[in-house]
């Protein structure tokens, strides 16, 4: 099946640890996005990428890092510099313009 | 920076009533606008995509309009059903390829 897959569904992080969230798509999409959603709020853009080996900061990039070594994959690392990482993280992909964006089912990250 | 606003933040209607959800954006230089549905704890499901050259799109009971010059879009859901209860989000893709979201409208349809 074509689609976008995020893993894991739930993730627990200790204070001071880095964690990496996986996002894989087999839709042959060029663009990929990472968003953060806090309770009762909309989606805030962390990073986005339109092509392999290139990505841009979104509105809340501090404390996060990404890579885009393959078209299919856009992993997000939440570093220890992110002071309030507990949130729901959503990955999306799409063609660069004028087509629908498709979302994964999200990863819920909790700091313990 | 593109700012997207959705009004109202929440809406409760009896079953059968039509729903009207509003979305406004500050920068009219957009490629497209998309409406999504989100169920609690889930990802987003795409409902409708309107390209910047279009005025409206329809899918079943859903109709979305776009007035790019005034920075507004409206999503109409006809004859609402309890299964329509969810949060509805609009997103605009700007000319820098960023996809910016509003905070959403949470809809409750009472049986």
């Amino acid at each position: 099946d074509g689609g976008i897959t995020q893993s894991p569904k739930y993730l627990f992080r200790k204070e001071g640890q880095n964690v990496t969230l996986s996002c894989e798509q087999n839709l042959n999409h060029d663009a990929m996005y990472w968003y953060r959603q806090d309770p009762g709020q909309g989606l805030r853009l962390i990073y986005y990428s339109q092509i392999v080996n290139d990505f841009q900061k979104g509105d809340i990039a501090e404390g996060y890092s990404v890579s885009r070594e393959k078209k299919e994959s856009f992993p997000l690392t939440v570093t220890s510099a992110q002071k309030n990482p507990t949130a729901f993280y959503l990955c999306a992909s799409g063609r660069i313009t004028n087509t629908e964006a498709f979302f994964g089912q999200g990863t819920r990250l909790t700091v313990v | 920076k593109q700012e997207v606003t959705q009004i109202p933040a929440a809406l409760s209607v009896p079953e059968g009533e039509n729903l009207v959800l509003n979305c406004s954006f500050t920068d009219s230089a957009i490629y497209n606008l998309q409406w999504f549905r989100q169920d609690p704890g889930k990802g987003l499901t795409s409902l409708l995509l309107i390209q910047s050259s279009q005025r409206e799109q329809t899918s079943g009971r859903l109709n979305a309009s776009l007035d790019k010059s005034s920075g507004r879009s409206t999503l109409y859901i006809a004859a609402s059903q309890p299964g329509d209860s969810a949060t509805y989000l609009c997103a605009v893709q700007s000319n820098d390829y960023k996809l910016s979201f509003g905070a959403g409208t949470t809809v409750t349809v009472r049986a």
Side-chain angles (χ1 to χ4, degrees), chain A residues 80-92:
Chain A
S80 56
Q82 171 50 240
K83 297 306 178 189
N84 186 23
T86 294
F88 190 48
Y89 291 86
L90 287 157
C91 178

Side-chain angles (χ1 to χ4, degrees), chain A residues 88-99:
Chain A
F88 190 48
Y89 291 86
L90 287 157
C91 178
S93 72
R95 300 202 187 278
I96 294 179
T97 61
N98 287 332
T99 61

Side-chain angles (χ1 to χ4, degrees), chain A residues 33 35 37 42-43 45 48 50 59 88 90 96-101 103-105 108, chain B residues 1 31-32 34 36 38 41-44 46 49 51 93 96-99 101-103:
Chain A
Y33 305 82
Y35 291 89
Q37 187 176 36
L43 278 66
L45 183 63
Y48 63 112
Q50 292 118 47
D59 300 319
F88 190 48
L90 287 157
I96 294 179
T97 61
N98 287 332
T99 61
E100 293 173 285
F103 278 78
Q105 287 302 300
R108 188 166 300 279
Chain B
K1 178 186 171 185
Y31 280 120
N32 59 61
Q34 196 168 352
F36 292 89
Q38 186 178 30
K42 303 292 186 183
L44 277 65
S46 177
L49 171 76
Q51 306 214 13
Q93 186 175 36
D96 58 0
Y97 307 111
K98 288 173 71 172
L99 192 60
F101 280 80

Side-chain angles (χ1 to χ4, degrees), chain A residues 35-95:
Chain A
Y35 291 89
R36 169 182 173 139
Q37 187 176 36
D38 293 286
Q41 298 190 30
L43 278 66
R44 292 186 289 167
L45 183 63
I46 305 172
Y47 271 98
Y48 63 112
S49 167
Q50 292 118 47
I51 195 169
V52 173
N53 292 323
D54 190 34
F55 45 83
Q56 288 76 42
K57 292 182 179 180
D59 300 319
I60 56 164
E62 186 175 352
Y64 300 97
S65 66
V66 293
S67 63
R68 187 85 188 275
E69 297 177 0
K70 298 187 299 181
K71 188 175 185 178
E72 303 78 22
S73 179
F74 191 40
L76 174 74
T77 296
V78 184
T79 74
S80 56
Q82 171 50 240
K83 297 306 178 189
N84 186 23
T86 294
F88 190 48
Y89 291 86
L90 287 157
C91 178
S93 72
R95 300 202 187 278

Side-chain angles (χ1 to χ4, degrees), chain B:
Chain B
K1 178 186 171 185
Q2 180 74 269
E3 300 284 349
V4 182
T5 303
Q6 291 188 245
I7 294 173
L11 189 58
S12 178
V13 299
E15 183 176 3
E17 194 164 298
N18 296 335
L19 290 163
V20 180
L21 309 180
N22 297 298
C23 173
S24 62
F25 48 95
T26 54
D27 185 352
S28 62
I30 65 169
Y31 280 120
N32 59 61
L33 183 144
Q34 196 168 352
W35 283 93
F36 292 89
R37 170 186 171 134
Q38 186 178 30
D39 293 293
K42 303 292 186 183
L44 277 65
T45 301
S46 177
L47 297 174
L48 289 168
L49 171 76
I50 311 176
Q51 306 214 13
S52 61
S53 59
Q54 297 176 315
R55 298 282 294 182
E56 66 177 330
Q57 274 287 356
T58 298
S59 176
R61 294 184 294 113
L62 277 60
N63 173 274
S65 65
L66 174 64
D67 183 343
K68 197 175 80 162
S69 61
S70 66
R72 296 183 181 181
S73 176
T74 302
L75 177 67
Y76 301 90
I77 304 177
S80 61
Q81 303 168 359
D84 294 329
S85 298
T87 298
Y88 292 83
L89 297 122
C90 75
V92 295
Q93 186 175 36
S94 305
N95 289 354
D96 58 0
Y97 307 111
K98 288 173 71 172
L99 192 60
S100 302
F101 280 80
T105 295
T106 299
V107 170
T108 303
V109 180
R110 307 187 303 272

